[in-house]
Amino acid sequence: MTVLQDRQGRTFPYLRLSVTDLCNFRCNYCLPDGCQDHHHGDALSLPEIRRLVTAFAHLGSEKIRLTGGEPSLRRDFTDIIHTIKSVPSIRKVAVTTNGYKLPQRIEGWLDAGLDALNLSIDSLDPRTFQSITGHDRLQEILTGMQKAFDRGLSGVKVNAVLMRGLNDGDLDRYLDWVKAQPVSVRFIELMETGDHRAFFQQHHVSGHVIREQLEARGWTEVTRLADAGPAREFCHPDYQGRIGLIMPYSPDFCRQCNRLRVSATGQLQLCLFADGGYDLRPLLQSDDDMGALIADIRKQLNFKQEGHFLDQGYTGTTRQLAQIGG
Ligand code: SAM
């Protein structure tokens, strides 16, 4: 096994794999009109996913995060988890989900080998949650999360997109919540995508605002692990949970990049905000192409840019993150 490295010396133990573009929520910052398409289109099949993950495992990837769209809309989602977990040297399978029908689904996912769960919960107030996501399902998601805890899952994280005027005053509510919950809540700065500039300008707020509030309340930053995501995490001795900040607009954000992305149709994306992707699918059709697939992925790494240039208003080809595996 060799390690995948780019020209900046960054290594990539972490792959984010989208398994569908389809989503059933209508989050105002992502898909406010819902998904117009109602089938999984040309998403990668189970054998294609197995070959893809095997190639990344050969290149040193140990952690695979399944995302979308809403990944749990795939009927074979449990099989996807099981297939990936069975690939030698894959240590960790994680999912980022909106938690739809989680109480009914979590047991099957854990039995299949799921190691970590990221839930998107943009507000702990049911009315605000509904106004952001278009769904009155907060309680269902929390019940599912509790089931995961009851089964002993320790890797539970919550994502909340930080938005001015919508949830930027909610820190204390989240703090009360994590006092007795061993969960990490991560505030993600709203990112500008290609078709929602006005929404971005109205609602973007820097994560530094939360950082200052945390520090004023006695929270301190913890040291990052090698395979950690992009969050800067804070802890407090009186709280079981943690608070994280994902701040893509801060100058050193890309220096710590350790993940690559593959879209639901097999496009390798070197950056969330890259101009398009590189089609790996032709080499996912047969086990005989494994050598060529590995060589192709390695070659593409030479083209990974140093940064995303988001701070200069550059959004690449993104429309909604749900459609490229955000
Ligand atoms: N459907 C799943 C979910 O809801 O978690 C997975 C896909 S969703 C695109 C992945 C993550 O991206 C979610 O936590 C979502 O809140 C976040 N996201 C989507 N659009 C975003 C944006 N414009 N800025 C920041 N985060 C965004």
Side-chain angles (χ1 to χ4, degrees):
M1 190 177 73
T2 49
V3 172
L4 208 47
Q5 196 170 31
D6 72 357
R7 289 174 303 165
Q8 275 74 33
R10 295 173 295 195
T11 55
F12 299 91
Y14 181 4
L15 173 70
R16 283 182 79 102
L17 172 60
S18 175
V19 293
T20 179
D21 288 341
L22 202 62
C23 192
N24 50 349
F25 275 27
R26 298 193 301 274
C27 299
N28 55 4
Y29 54 84
C30 189
L31 286 168
D33 302 324
C35 225
Q36 303 313 318
D37 198 355
H38 294 286
H39 56 87
H40 292 291
D42 211 11
L44 295 180
S45 66
L46 207 49
E48 288 173 318
I49 289 173
R50 178 181 54 76
R51 290 183 193 114
L52 180 82
V53 171
T54 303
F56 273 92
H58 273 286
L59 290 164
S61 295
E62 298 177 329
K63 172 173 167 185
I64 309 291
R65 174 169 301 286
L66 299 171
T67 181
E70 174 46 41
S72 63
L73 292 179
R74 283 271 303 240
R75 280 172 194 230
D76 56 354
F77 187 59
T78 306
D79 296 333
I80 292 175
I81 296 171
H82 184 256
T83 299
I84 294 177
K85 195 61 193 281
S86 309
V87 171
S89 65
I90 294 299
R91 245 182 351 102
K92 197 163 176 182
V93 182
V95 58
T96 299
T97 172
N98 59 27
Y100 178 83
K101 294 197 176 167
L102 190 61
Q104 293 96 298
R105 291 173 168 167
I106 186 69
E107 297 269 342
W109 298 353
L110 293 172
D111 289 344
L114 188 75
D115 299 288
L117 180 68
N118 276 24
L119 289 168
S120 294
I121 306 182
D122 294 314
S123 176
L124 289 173
D125 172 61
R127 275 168 308 170
T128 311
F129 181 90
Q130 179 163 16
S131 75
I132 294 174
T133 64
H135 282 265
D136 179 17
R137 288 187 174 267
L138 177 61
Q139 193 48 53
E140 174 187 79
I141 298 164
L142 296 177
T143 303
M145 192 183 83
Q146 189 55 49
K147 267 192 145 175
F149 284 140
D150 294 346
R151 276 280 307 257
L153 187 70
S154 55
V156 178
K157 291 178 183 157
V158 165
N159 291 343
V161 178
L162 182 62
M163 291 175 283
R164 185 191 304 284
L166 294 175
N167 61 5
D168 61 333
D170 282 6
L171 178 62
D172 283 324
R173 196 188 270 263
Y174 281 102
L175 290 184
D176 285 349
W177 191 58
V178 301
K179 189 139 196 165
Q181 300 273 9
V183 59
S184 174
V185 173
R186 291 107 47 84
F187 290 104
I188 310 176
E189 274 182 4
L190 179 66
M191 290 181 267
E192 181 177 349
T193 51
D195 57 1
H196 81 160
R197 169 157 290 196
F199 186 93
F200 173 80
Q201 286 171 342
Q202 194 182 349
H203 294 291
H204 177 259
V205 47
S206 164
H208 287 294
V209 172
I210 300 287
R211 185 190 183 122
E212 282 164 16
Q213 293 175 28
L214 286 172
E215 286 174 347
R217 288 162 172 79
W219 288 68
T220 47
E221 188 166 353
V222 295
T223 317
R224 281 178 96 248
L225 294 173
D227 75 337
R232 299 166 77 153
E233 280 210 301
F234 294 77
C235 67
H236 189 292
D238 299 338
Y239 292 75
Q240 283 201 35
R242 290 182 171 187
I243 300 287
L245 295 175
I246 299 182
M247 301 193 287
Y249 290 89
S250 58
D252 58 350
F253 186 75
C254 299
R255 216 177 300 145
Q256 291 162 354
C257 181
N258 64 355
R259 79 266 319 272
L260 297 170
R261 294 167 190 270
V262 173
S263 76
T265 55
Q267 301 278 319
L268 173 65
Q269 257 149 344
L270 299 172
C271 170
L272 181 54
F273 292 95
D275 274 325
Y278 178 81
D279 193 6
L280 296 174
R281 199 163 203 173
L283 294 176
L284 296 176
Q285 305 314 307
S286 155
D287 291 340
D288 297 341
D289 290 327
M290 191 54 66
L293 178 61
I294 291 169
D296 247 20
I297 297 170
R298 191 195 299 283
K299 207 183 311 159
Q300 284 304 307
L301 257 280
N302 290 321
F303 302 108
K304 185 165 167 68
Q305 300 288 315
E306 200 174 336
H308 54 37
F309 308 111
L310 260 185
D311 52 339
Q312 295 160 35
Y314 184 78
T315 57
T317 50
T318 53
R319 286 294 166 264
Q320 294 98 8
L321 300 197
Q323 252 129 51
I324 50 171

